[in-house]
């Protein structure tokens, strides 16, 4: 009798442990929302890509184009600004120097723009800059999805 009781108790403990350790059916990490931003165009140059919305920052990745390598004023980089719900600027950041397009079309690495407030950025503007980091034209504000 003691053997059967011990075996039954062991079986119950193993089953309970398995059930407690198993993840809930259908449970998975939620993805962060993304927004494709329309091309920001100045003449024959542009930037286009995607914004990924995180809790206290956004990431921007994409492609920019320059048609001339005649100097920094003709090169292109991408820059972005984050804003809170009241329109106050939270942060800014841009593509790295190594990703500058001069007389070419170039993919730029993802860069992170801070938005260190509860809930993160409410809006983002993406700008096409020259090689001197002067904003040439900025997008309309994109609202957090």
């Amino acid at each position: 009798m003691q053997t059967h009781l011990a075996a039954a108790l062991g079986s119950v403990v193993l089953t309970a442990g398995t059930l407690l350790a198993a993840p809930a059916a259908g449970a998975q990490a939620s993805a962060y929302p993304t927004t494709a931003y329309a091309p920001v165009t100045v003449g024959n140059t542009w930037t286009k890509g995607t914004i990924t919305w995180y809790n206290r920052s956004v990431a921007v990745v994409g492609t920019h184009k320059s048609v001339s390598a005649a100097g920094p004023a003709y090169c292109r980089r991408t820059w972005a600004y984050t804003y809170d719900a009241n329109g106050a600027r939270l942060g800014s950041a841009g593509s790295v120097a190594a990703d500058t397009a001069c007389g070419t079309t170039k993919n730029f690495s993802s860069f992170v723009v801070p938005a260190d407030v509860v809930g993160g950025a409410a809006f983002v503007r993406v700008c096409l800059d020259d090689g001197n980091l002067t904003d040439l034209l900025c997008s309309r504000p994109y609202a957090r999805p």
Side-chain angles (χ1 to χ4, degrees):
M1 176 79 173
Q2 285 182 343
T3 305
H4 293 301
L5 183 58
L9 183 58
S11 177
V12 167
V13 168
L14 283 175
T15 302
T18 301
L19 290 175
L20 290 174
Q28 54 184 321
S30 62
Y32 292 102
T34 61
T35 302
Y37 66 88
V40 178
T41 304
V42 174
N44 291 328
T45 66
W46 46 261
T47 181
K48 63 182 177 180
T50 304
I51 302 163
T52 302
W53 304 80
Y54 297 108
N55 294 333
R56 291 192 177 257
S57 65
V58 300
V60 179
V61 66
T63 306
H64 40 226
K65 177 183 179 183
S66 161
V67 293
S68 174
Y74 299 93
C75 296
R76 296 296 180 256
R77 289 179 68 178
T78 300
W79 201 265
Y81 299 93
T82 54
Y83 300 88
D84 69 12
N86 296 317
R89 187 185 306 178
L90 300 172
S92 69
S95 56
V96 298
D99 289 339
T100 302
C102 292
T104 188
T105 301
K106 194 164 190 177
N107 293 330
F108 59 87
S109 304
S110 177
F111 62 88
V112 175
V113 187
D116 197 13
V117 295
V118 175
F123 300 98
V124 173
R125 293 188 77 180
V126 179
C127 304
L128 180 65
D129 282 19
D130 66 14
N132 296 314
L133 299 180
T134 301
D135 291 347
L136 301 174
L137 183 67
C138 295
S139 69
R140 64 178 173 76
Y142 286 92
R144 183 181 197 94

